[in-house]
Structures are given as C-alpha cells and as structure tokens.
C-alpha cells in the first residue's frame, strides 16, 4: 500500500472528482503499474481518495492511497510521467494499511489571492472569533444563508491575500465561499480571485505530511 | 496565437458554468499545438463535449491533421446554453479548447455532421464565434467553413452556410484540402481560388462550382490509413468512454432502410496483425479499461475468432474488457463473450414479422433470435433488449402485433432454459422509420404523426400486459429528421429561421421544439410534408448531385424486391452490382483481400 500527496492545479482544477479517480487508474494502466483489485462481481482497483475538492479549487496537498505492487519511488516516477498537466505526485511513502485520509482530515489551510488589493487597510482575523458568522452563497441555483462560525478556525490577511484555516471533512466550509464573503464585506464582490489549498491537518492539528512522510 | 488577456477572461467564465471541464482543455494526450503553423484548422462537432469526444471520425481527423508538419489542429464543441449565454453577455467569442483562440481566427473550420438534428448547432457555433451565418456575407478574413460526416451525403440543406463539403471517408480528402489550402495561402491566393482548385480533390463538393456529380471519397486500404492510438482522454466522462478499434468499414448485409450500409460500401477490413498491434497501443497509450470492436456488423469480420484469440491475452493482462457492439442476431455467438461479465444482450430484429424483415432485407429469422436467446440464457444472461422500427414500408397491424409475440416467446424460452436466478428483464425500444438518401427506401413516405402515435399506443398497452418494458423515440423529432435528411437547398432558410427562433440541441429531447420547427417551415412557405410524403421515382432528387457509389438502378431494383418481399443475399455470397465497383475501380473482393469468400 502506498500513500501519495499530489497537486490539483491549472486546468485539472475543473476535472470532477470521479473523473480524477479515472484519470489515476488510466495512468496506472498506461504505465503498466499493477494495482490490486477488489474481489467480486464487479472488481475495481483498490485506490482510496480523500474528500473531493470543489470544482475550480486548486490544491497543493491532496492525498490518495493505492494498493499496488511497486516501490514508493518507482510509483511516483512512473505515474508522474503519465498524468495530465496540473496533477503531480509530490511525495510517496509505503504504508501497511490504508490510513483513511478522508476520516483523518480535520482542517485545512487555504490562500485566497485577489486580483487587486481590495483588502487594503482591513483586518479580517476577527471572523474566526465570531459566535455567529452568516454567509450567503448560491448552491444548485438556490441562495442559501448559513452560520459558518464553527468552521472558520483562523483568518489572516494583507492587501491581496487572505490565509484561512477552515474545517474540512464532514463539517466543512468551502474556502471560495468565505473569500466571496470577505469581498462582500469590502464592497468588491466582482473582484476575480483564486483559492489554493496548501496544507491539511488532523484533529490534533498535526500536518498530514508529518504523519505520512515524517516531515 | 494565445492571447493571455482573453485566456484569463475565459478562466473567469469557467468559474460560472456547469461542467467547466467541457471547455478548459488540457486533456491527457492532447497533441502539441504548433505555434506559427502554416495552417490553423479547427475541428468542430455540433454537440456537447461528452458526445463529441465519443466520436471516432473527429478523433481520426484531429490527430491526423496534427500529425501533418504544417498544420495545427484544435477543437471546439457546442457550448451548453449556460456557456453560450455567458459568452453573449460578456461579449467574448467562442474559443478553441486547446489554446482558447477565438474561432474566427482560424483558417479553416471543419464540422463533423453525424445526425440531422445537429444542424442548428452549426449556426449557433458560427454566431457565437462572430462568423456571419450566410457564406455570402463572409469576408476574405473569415474562416473557410467546411463540413463532412455521414449526413453530408445530402449536403443541400446546409449550402447557404458551408463553403465546401467533404463527402465520404475523410482521411485522404481532408489531408488534400489542408495541403491545397496551405499552398494557395502561401502563394497569396484567395478563398475563391482555393475553392475553384478544391473541386478536383476526390470527395469535395463545392455548391455551384462542381461540374457533374461529386464522387464520394473511399479509402481503399484501411491498413495504410491513418489511425490514432494516442487519443485525447476526456476531462470528464464521455458518452462512450472506451478505446475504439475500428475493425472494418462498410457492411455487406444490404438492409434496405440502412443508410450506413449503402454509403460506406465497399467493405474494407483491417488485417488481424494491424488490429492486434493497434489494440495493444490503444490500451497502453490511453489506459482505458474497455476496448470496443467497432464496425457496422462486428460478427461479420471473417477473422473474429483469430482476432479475439490474439487480443484476449493482451486485454486480460491489462484487465481490460472487450465489447462487441453491432452484433447481429444471426451471428451472435455467446462463445465470444465466454468469461466476460454477463450483462445484457441486445438484438435488433427491426420488424415484428418475417414478412416485413424480408421487405427490409434484414435477413434474420425468428429462429435465429430464439436460438441466440436460448444459448445466452443457458450461459447466464438475464437481460434482453430488443430494437424495432415502426412505420417501415408495407407495415401492417400484423407486423406490429409480431413485436409482443416475439417477446412472449423469449419469456417462455427464459423459463425453460435460464440458469440465472434472476427474473428476466426484457425491454423493447422502437424508433420511427426515417427514409434516408441513397437507400432503396429513399423514395418512401414516412408515416404521419397520428399513425406513429397509434402504433406506439398499441405497443405500450400490449407490452404492458405481458410486463415488458417499452421505450419509444419521439415521433415529432423523427418527422423533422426526415425532412432535413431529404431536404434540398431551400431548407437553408428554414434552418436559419428555426435557429433564430431558438432551436439548438434538437437531438436532445428536452430541447427539441416541434412547434418552432413548424413555424420555421411555415415562415418560408414550405411544408415539411413535402419531404415526408415521399418522392416519385421519376423525380430528380436533390442529393443526386453526389455520386455515393450505389446506382439509382440498383436502389430501384432493391425497392422493387422489397415490395415483392424478396430478399437479397449478403454481398459476401454474391455480387449484386450495386455500382460501387465503378466508383472504386476495383472489385470489392480485392479490397477485402479475398476475405469476402473465406468466412
């Protein structure tokens, strides 16, 4: 079993989660990497992913676990030669069992970059201290207002960047929704921005990289 | 060619649309798009991304053009209405997928026309690309618009919008078009110079310039024809998400309703060695978990056993499954699928009685169907799908009643022979017969909407009583399809009116508006019945500007035999002088390397 950390950037950010899974299994077949399959009527490759990223979000820290007959180094080398632009395996390590990344994930760091310095002179760090933080967003064509105070763990910003630590996993908040809320507070709703996920932590606030790769 | 500012503006649009993966590009196996190429070609498909990337024809031409050292070929597919609206609101033109270049900056735009109900999407794409719809309104700086694909065997409804048509197999014709355009562009020639010279290319039809009939292009040796094995892998699930191995082109069966069976003649097969090599490359260059043997009638490939025996070890090793679509009832042999997953078997008897099957020359007997079902049930299959057509020439109530009768027999066979412990899942699907150009039924009438409804109502009730699932294709869209299939150049204004009224994605049932189409016909003083009521055999037919290979004499002879309920045997048994030899200049058996006789 191998645990991997990979990026999802550039055009790959638009690839839906199920198609991302397919992208990895196809890459493995291309590179003749032997994956172990489940038993049963409809066998499938034993590959386990963390929770999906929203479409359009970039990440430098996604994880998956694969049951393959390869060394960690060889696996990364082979796979990197066969992945679409934007998806790059950064780290790999062998593990005895599937660590179940989806269950471990508790919080994540995100950086929102705005196209102009719309946050100049403002400090949004208090957003994480409010007992009630109502944000409004559109989901499936419906406008929804929700109190997200328990999902915002910290916010730090300068003129153009906002670094946010948010809950992820079962209780979570999409970083782009908080970034849009910040823009509304600045009266600059239409400012283009992009969001990158930069690190993931477990419930003890330990970076998953440290747990899986000792760094 | 890539404008960074435009690129970023498109990125902002991608954040607002449903399924941005349709437009973002960056697919694995995308060829390197040459900068400063002598020819910039845009391959368009008038339907959404996931449909377009399932089409073999554009895959071949797209990768083939990119393999030419002077050509950069990009792609563009019809944007769904959310993206279309955003482009209009933002004032941005439609763009190519690979480098996000506005489509009006290309030299040539080629459309692949696979079905008639995609015609309005051509206009939609041109307008979104800020290209005048009517070719007479275009400037020298606008791209040259060309169209190919099976529907263009009757190009007439699109003549107002398309400069040049590629008729028949595209491999050689499109290569020649690209070379000629490059040469004339280099020499400082105009579009008009190009069109005048292009009529000498086999398979090219330029309205008003061709003298005599334009001959359909035929690639004689498929083993030597370009076939891509590094395929652009869709960013999101395509309709057919698998590697496609085209084992042969054409069909020798001669079903009288089938346009493909007539306009892809003669049969040309790839050799087993070529196919095995291609299959291995397709698997390891792309990574699909399924490979499909594509043709009009896969089990007619004379070396199918040998091919399967050689490919099976490769697919087993790579854990890839093989699918055999277009398997005819009479040639279905469950041994081919031995060891594969027992999913469902699909048969297309097309008609409910032997009499009507003789009329349409579907040389399949009920015994063939029942024998195949019995064999399949003994092997563990429990799902059967049956496809029929309603409204075939000479059809009577007895023929329609034959459909539930076949279902009852299959149910009985299942009770007697099934080894699966499941209940039989039996489904019937019907479509309405659409008479198509260059078939023996090209003169026939299509049944009226009322008749379609009556037949569908009868089947719905009769099949419900015996607990058989029934699905049917909407009759209204079949009426419009029939009108467009047999229309002349007078339909160009009708198409334009329909588009202006909002008709796009007509092949999508939720988007199709029969009322708007009828209004478009009325607005132009044309009745759709003119095309659905049938044609006299003494009339000159608008599509006869094309020489498809099969002669009028042969088609009339087949029509006559249909009315006499006489069948015509498979061409592999005997030549019926359909006329194709005159077009190819070679006997069919030579093109098949004597494979026509050794089955």
């Amino acid at each position: 079993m191998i645990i991997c950390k990979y990026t999802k950037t550039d055009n790959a950010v638009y690839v839906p989660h199920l198609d991302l899974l397919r992208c990895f299994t196809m890459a493995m077949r291309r590179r003749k990497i032997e994956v172990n399959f489940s038993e049963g009527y409809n066998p499938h490759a034993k590959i386990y992913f963390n929770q999906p990223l929203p479409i359009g979000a970039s990440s430098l820290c996604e994880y998956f676990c694969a049951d393959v007959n390869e060394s960690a180094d060889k696996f990364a080398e082979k796979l990197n030669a066969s992945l679409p632009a934007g998806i790059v395996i950064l780290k790999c390590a062998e593990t005895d069992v599937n660590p179940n990344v989806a269950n471990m994930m508790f919080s994540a760091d995100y950086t929102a970059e705005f196209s102009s310095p719309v946050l100049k002179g403002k400090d949004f760090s208090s957003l994480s201290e409010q007992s009630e933080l109502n944000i409004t967003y559109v989901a499936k064509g419906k406008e929804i207002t929700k109190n997200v105070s328990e999902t915002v763990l910290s916010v730090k910003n300068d003129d153009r960047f906002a670094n946010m630590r948010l809950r992820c996993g079962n209780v979570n908040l999409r970083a782009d929704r908080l970034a849009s809320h910040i823009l509304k507070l600045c009266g600059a709703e239409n400012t283009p921005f992009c969001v990158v996920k930069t690190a993931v932590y477990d419930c003890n606030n330990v970076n998953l990289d440290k747990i899986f790769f000792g760094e | 060619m890539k404008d960074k500012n435009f690129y970023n503006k498109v990125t902002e649009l991608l954040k607002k649309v449903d399924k941005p993966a349709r437009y973002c590009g960056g697919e694995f196996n995308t060829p390197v798009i040459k900068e400063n190429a002598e020819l910039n070609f845009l391959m368009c498909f008038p339907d959404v991304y996931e449909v377009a990337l399932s089409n073999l024809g554009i895959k071949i031409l797209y990768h083939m053009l990119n393999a030419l050292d002077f050509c950069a070929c990009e792609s563009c597919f019809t944007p769904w209405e959310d993206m279309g609206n955003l482009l209009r609101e933002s004032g941005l033109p439609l763009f190519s997928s690979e480098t996000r270049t506005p489509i009006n900056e290309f030299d040539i735009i080629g459309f692949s026309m696979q079905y008639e109900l995609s015609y309005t999407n051509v206009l939609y794409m041109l307008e979104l690309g800020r290209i005048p719809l009517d070719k007479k309104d275009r400037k020298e700086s606008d791209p040259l618009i060309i169209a190919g694909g099976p529907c263009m065997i009757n190009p007439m409804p699109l003549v107002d919008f398309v400069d040049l048509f590629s008729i028949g197999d595209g491999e050689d014709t499109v290569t020649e078009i690209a070379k000629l355009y490059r040469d004339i562009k280099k020499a400082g020639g105009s579009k008009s110079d190009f069109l005048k010279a292009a009529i000498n290319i086999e398979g090219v039809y330029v309205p008003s310039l061709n003298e005599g009939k334009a001959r359909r292009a035929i690639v004689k040796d498929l083993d030597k024809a370009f076939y891509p094995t590094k395929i652009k892998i869709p960013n999101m699930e395509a309709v057919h998400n698998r590697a496609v191995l085209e084992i042969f082109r054409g069909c020798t069966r001669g079903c009288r309703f089938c346009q493909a069976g007539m306009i892809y003649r003669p049969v040309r097969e790839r050799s087993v060695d070529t196919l095995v090599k291609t299959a291995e490359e397709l698997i390891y260059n792309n990574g699909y978990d399924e490979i499909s043997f594509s043709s009009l009638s896969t089990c007619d490939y004379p070396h199918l056993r040998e091919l399967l025996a050689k490919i099976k070890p490769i697919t087993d090793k790579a854990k890839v499954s093989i699918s055999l679509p277009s398997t005819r009832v009479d040639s279905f042999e469950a041994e081919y699928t031995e060891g594969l997953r027992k999913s469902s078997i699909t048969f297309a008897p097309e008609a409910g009685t032997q009499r009507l099957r003789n009329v349409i020359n579907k040389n399949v007997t009920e015994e063939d169907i029942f024998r195949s079902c019995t064999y399949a049930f003994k092997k563990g299959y429990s799902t059967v799908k049956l496809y029929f057509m309603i409204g075939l020439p000479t059809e009577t109530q007895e023929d329609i009643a034959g459909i539930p009768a076949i279902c009852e027999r299959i149910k009985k066979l299942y009770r007697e022979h099934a080894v699966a412990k499941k209940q039989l899942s039996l489904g019937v699907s019907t479509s309405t017969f659409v008479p198509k150009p260059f078939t023996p039924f090209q003169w026939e009438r299509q049944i009226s909407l009322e008749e379609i409804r009556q037949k569908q109502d009868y089947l719905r009730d009769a099949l419900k009583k015996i607990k058989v699932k029934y699905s049917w294709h909407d009759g209204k869209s079949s009426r419009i399809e029939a009108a467009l299939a047999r229309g002349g150049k007078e339909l160009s204004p009708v198409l334009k009116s329909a588009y202006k009224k909002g008709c796009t994605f007509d092949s999508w049932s939720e988007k199709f508006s029969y009322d708007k189409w009828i209004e478009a016909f009325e607005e132009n003083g044309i009745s759709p019945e003119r095309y659905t009521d049938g044609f006299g055999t003494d009339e000159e037919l608008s599509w006869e500007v094309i020489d498809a290979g099969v002669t009028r004499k042969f088609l009339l002879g087949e029509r006559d035999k249909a009315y006499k309920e006489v069948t015509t045997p498979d061409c592999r048994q005997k030549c019926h002088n359909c006329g194709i030899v005159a077009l190819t200049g070679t006997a069919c058996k030579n093109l098949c390397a004597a494979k026509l006789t050794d089955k």
Side-chain angles (χ1 to χ4, degrees):
Chain A
M1 193 79 83
I2 288 174
I3 177 86
C4 290
K5 180 186 182 184
Y6 67 97
T7 66
K8 191 176 183 234
T9 60
D10 303 327
N11 282 339
V13 301
Y14 304 110
V15 176
H17 187 64
L18 285 177
D19 296 292
L20 184 74
L21 267 62
R22 190 170 52 86
C23 162
F24 277 106
T25 53
M26 289 179 79
M28 288 182 208
R29 191 172 289 109
R30 286 193 286 264
R31 303 301 298 171
K32 301 187 181 177
I33 293 170
E34 271 187 50
V35 192
N36 293 318
F37 276 67
S38 63
E39 308 277 321
Y41 182 70
N42 189 9
H44 59 271
K46 288 186 178 174
I47 304 174
Y48 311 93
F49 282 79
N50 62 350
Q51 264 139 350
L53 265 184
I55 287 178
S58 296
S59 174
L60 305 174
C61 53
E62 295 302 290
Y63 298 87
F64 78 91
C65 196
D67 189 358
V68 293
N69 306 323
E70 286 283 352
S71 71
D73 290 348
K74 265 262 178 305
F75 181 71
E77 187 190 323
K78 280 186 171 182
L79 215 51
N80 273 337
S82 196
L83 287 168
I87 301 175
V88 181
I89 307 281
L90 299 174
K91 290 173 186 168
C92 260
E94 278 155 48
T95 167
D96 293 336
V97 288
N98 169 20
N100 198 342
V101 184
N103 262 6
M104 288 173 81
M105 288 165 62
F106 180 82
S107 64
D109 285 344
Y110 300 87
T111 300
E113 182 186 356
F114 302 95
S115 64
S116 55
V118 285
L119 314 188
K120 198 171 181 182
K122 298 186 177 71
D123 179 1
F124 291 98
S125 56
S126 63
L127 287 177
S128 61
E129 290 150 18
Q130 296 174 8
S131 58
E132 194 169 334
L133 175 60
N134 290 313
I135 67 165
T136 303
Y137 55 88
V138 177
K140 292 179 183 168
K142 279 187 189 165
E143 195 173 87
I144 293 168
T145 300
K146 194 176 168 185
N147 179 8
V148 296
S149 61
E150 64 171 297
T151 60
V152 182
L153 304 179
S154 72
V155 179
K156 284 177 191 159
N157 70 281
D158 61 16
D159 298 353
R160 277 187 58 213
F161 292 89
N163 293 317
M164 306 169 279
R165 183 166 297 181
L166 308 176
R167 284 291 305 275
C168 63
N170 292 334
V171 178
N172 63 70
L173 173 63
R174 276 174 51 170
D176 58 319
R177 289 178 180 159
L178 186 61
S180 296
H181 181 71
I182 289 172
L183 281 177
K184 268 184 211 162
L185 295 176
C186 297
E189 286 98 325
N190 296 325
T191 308
F193 69 89
C194 58
V195 172
V196 186
K197 184 175 168 188
T198 54
V200 182
Y201 305 90
D202 74 352
C203 58
N204 299 316
N205 228 10
V206 180
N207 192 314
L208 294 195
D209 279 5
K210 191 161 188 191
I211 298 170
F212 298 140
F213 311 111
E215 304 162 18
Chain B
M1 203 144 116
K2 197 160 109 179
D3 174 346
K4 192 83 187 151
N5 189 30
F6 182 78
Y7 192 94
N8 290 338
K9 283 180 182 170
V10 171
T11 302
E12 287 308 306
L13 298 189
L14 294 181
K15 292 177 185 168
K16 297 175 187 167
V17 294
D18 188 28
K19 301 184 181 173
R22 284 170 169 163
Y23 317 102
C24 67
E27 292 88 352
F28 189 76
N29 275 345
T30 299
V32 175
I33 304 300
K34 299 172 199 84
E35 283 182 36
N36 307 315
E38 291 175 90
L39 173 68
N40 291 302
F41 196 107
L42 184 70
M43 185 61 67
C44 289
F45 192 92
D47 212 321
V48 290
Y49 179 87
E50 48 275 42
V51 178
L53 286 190
S54 302
N55 180 267
L56 177 63
I58 61 162
K59 281 180 198 165
I60 294 175
L61 297 180
Y62 171 80
H63 290 282
M64 182 193 80
L65 285 165
N66 275 310
L68 297 174
D69 58 5
F70 62 88
C71 180
C73 181
E74 301 195 39
S75 55
C76 181
F77 314 121
T78 312
W80 194 244
E81 59 187 8
D82 58 346
M83 181 52 117
N85 292 340
L86 277 172
L87 286 171
R88 283 181 175 134
E89 285 163 20
S90 60
L92 297 176
L94 183 60
F95 53 90
S96 67
S97 172
E98 289 80 354
T99 63
R100 296 186 193 167
T101 298
I103 71 165
N104 56 6
E105 291 181 19
F106 284 83
D107 294 315
I108 301 180
I109 297 183
F111 283 95
S112 172
M113 308 307 301
Q114 302 289 323
Y115 29 89
E116 291 81 0
L117 293 178
S118 66
Y119 288 177
T120 52
N121 279 3
V122 173
L123 305 188
Y124 177 49
M125 291 177 77
L126 290 178
E127 188 157 72
L128 286 176
R130 298 191 185 159
I131 297 166
L133 300 187
D134 289 289
K135 63 184 180 193
K136 65 176 168 48
D137 298 333
R138 289 184 208 135
K139 297 190 216 68
E140 191 64 27
S141 57
D142 285 315
L144 184 92
I145 308 298
I146 71 173
C151 284
M152 293 302 95
I153 203 75
N154 174 18
M156 301 318 285
L158 289 176
V159 290
D160 280 2
F161 320 114
V162 173
D163 297 293
L164 177 152
F165 295 92
S166 166
I167 313 291
D169 296 334
E171 288 96 334
D172 296 341
T173 308
V174 174
T175 304
E176 290 307 310
I177 288 171
K179 284 180 182 167
L180 181 69
Y181 193 93
R182 184 256 328 244
D183 293 344
I184 287 183
K185 185 181 167 190
K186 236 181 184 176
S190 65
K191 275 202 281 188
S192 157
D193 295 333
F194 165 77
L195 291 172
K196 279 177 200 155
I199 56 171
N200 297 315
I201 298 172
E202 183 92 355
V204 163
Y205 173 63
V206 181
S208 78
L209 284 184
N210 276 73
E211 287 170 12
K213 293 188 178 198
R215 287 157 63 105
R216 173 169 69 91
I218 295 170
V219 171
K220 287 185 184 165
D221 187 349
L222 285 192
D223 272 342
K224 288 184 187 147
F226 180 88
Y227 197 81
T229 56
K230 268 192 175 180
I231 307 293
K232 194 157 91 167
I233 308 293
N235 284 328
M236 55 185 282
E237 192 158 15
V239 176
H240 298 303
N241 215 16
R242 57 200 179 203
V244 178
L245 185 68
E246 188 194 31
I247 57 175
F248 66 92
R249 218 171 273 183
C251 177
T252 51
R253 297 280 177 163
C255 299
R256 293 179 179 131
F257 59 86
C258 178
Q259 190 185 40
M262 297 291 158
I263 66 166
Y264 284 107
R265 289 179 177 219
V267 163
R268 288 142 294 155
E269 293 156 355
R270 287 193 163 89
S271 67
V272 171
D273 289 347
T274 303
L275 291 171
V276 172
K277 184 172 171 283
T278 308
E280 189 158 20
E281 286 177 18
L282 279 169
I283 290 168
Y284 288 114
N285 286 342
N286 304 297
Y288 282 112
D289 61 1
E290 184 180 350
I291 186 163
S292 169
F293 289 6
S294 161
S295 76
L296 290 172
S297 181
T298 297
C299 285
D300 284 343
Y301 183 61
H303 312 295
L304 191 56
R305 278 165 209 270
E306 186 191 345
L307 180 65
L308 280 166
K310 286 188 172 167
I311 285 185
K312 203 89 181 11
I314 301 168
T315 54
D316 284 351
K317 194 177 169 202
K319 293 200 165 59
V320 169
S321 63
I322 300 172
S323 70
L324 302 175
S326 303
T327 311
R328 287 174 56 105
V329 181
D330 53 343
S331 54
F332 175 84
E333 290 182 47
E335 65 178 286
Y336 290 150
T337 52
E338 192 89 60
L340 300 181
R341 240 171 77 195
K342 307 285 183 290
S343 52
S344 65
I345 46 170
T346 305
F347 298 134
E350 311 291 3
T353 60
Q354 194 55 49
R355 185 203 69 80
L356 191 54
R357 282 193 292 276
N358 288 348
V359 169
I360 62 174
N361 205 42
K362 185 93 184 181
N363 293 334
V364 171
T365 65
E366 267 168 33
E367 285 319 304
D368 291 328
I369 301 168
F370 300 143
R371 191 178 57 243
S372 297
C373 281
T374 305
Y375 195 81
F377 294 154
K378 284 179 181 172
K379 290 285 175 187
Y381 284 85
S382 59
T383 302
V384 179
K385 292 179 201 160
L386 299 170
Y387 288 101
F388 294 93
M389 266 190 275
I390 57 170
L392 286 161
T394 78
E395 184 182 75
T396 63
Q397 177 54 31
E398 198 185 322
D399 299 312
I400 296 291
I403 295 173
I406 289 175
C407 294
E408 289 204 275
R409 267 295 293 281
I410 291 175
K411 289 184 80 169
K412 185 166 176 280
L413 288 173
Y414 192 76
R415 285 195 296 272
E416 290 166 2
H417 301 290
V419 296
K421 289 189 174 71
K422 290 179 189 169
Q423 267 207 329
L424 171 69
S425 166
L426 179 58
V428 164
S429 181
T430 63
S431 59
T432 304
F433 165 66
V434 178
K436 292 279 172 109
F438 297 110
T439 66
F441 291 157
Q442 65 178 352
W443 295 275
E444 297 303 319
R445 79 177 271 269
Q446 186 184 45
I447 55 170
S448 66
L449 272 182
E450 189 47 39
E451 288 168 279
I452 295 171
R453 244 177 254 128
Q454 281 171 5
K455 288 171 200 279
Q456 288 174 342
D457 288 349
Y458 169 83
L459 283 172
R460 198 180 53 232
D461 293 344
L463 293 169
K464 195 176 174 186
K465 272 183 205 153
I466 57 171
K467 291 181 182 155
V468 171
K469 281 176 259 171
Y470 177 48
S471 59
W472 58 92
H473 190 76
D474 171 43
K476 288 178 176 172
S477 62
S478 299
R479 295 285 285 176
I480 300 302
E481 184 188 337
L484 294 176
R486 294 195 294 182
K489 61 183 176 188
E490 68 286 351
L491 283 198
S492 278
V494 176
L495 269 176
K496 197 169 161 186
S497 298
Y499 169 64
K500 294 287 179 193
K501 288 177 186 301
C503 291
T504 52
F505 291 104
D506 298 300
S507 60
W508 293 64
S509 53
E510 71 270 33
K511 297 278 172 200
F512 177 75
S513 168
Y514 185 66
D515 294 342
K516 282 182 188 163
W517 271 101
I518 295 302
E519 282 171 30
F521 273 100
E522 282 170 0
E523 215 168 69
N524 289 278
I526 295 173
S527 159
E529 277 75 37
R530 179 170 157 190
Y531 308 97
T532 52
D533 278 353
F535 296 88
T537 51
D538 52 348
E539 277 183 74
E540 196 177 332
L541 304 169
S542 55
W543 53 92
E544 287 179 323
V545 295
I546 304 297
D547 178 2
V550 285
T551 60
R552 184 177 243 260
K553 187 179 163 203
F554 168 75
L555 295 176
L556 278 170
E558 281 296 295
R559 179 177 188 256
D560 192 42
K561 284 168 88 175
Y563 279 104
K564 289 177 184 156
E565 299 168 13
V566 174
T567 60
T568 298
D570 191 315
C571 300
R572 287 176 197 264
Q573 293 170 24
K574 183 179 174 261
C575 177
H576 307 292
N577 298 319
C578 66
I580 197 70
V581 175
L583 198 67
T584 58
T586 318
C588 295
K589 66 177 182 185
N590 293 341
L591 294 174
C592 287
K595 291 159 196 159
L596 286 178
T597 50
D598 70 351
K599 192 181 176 200

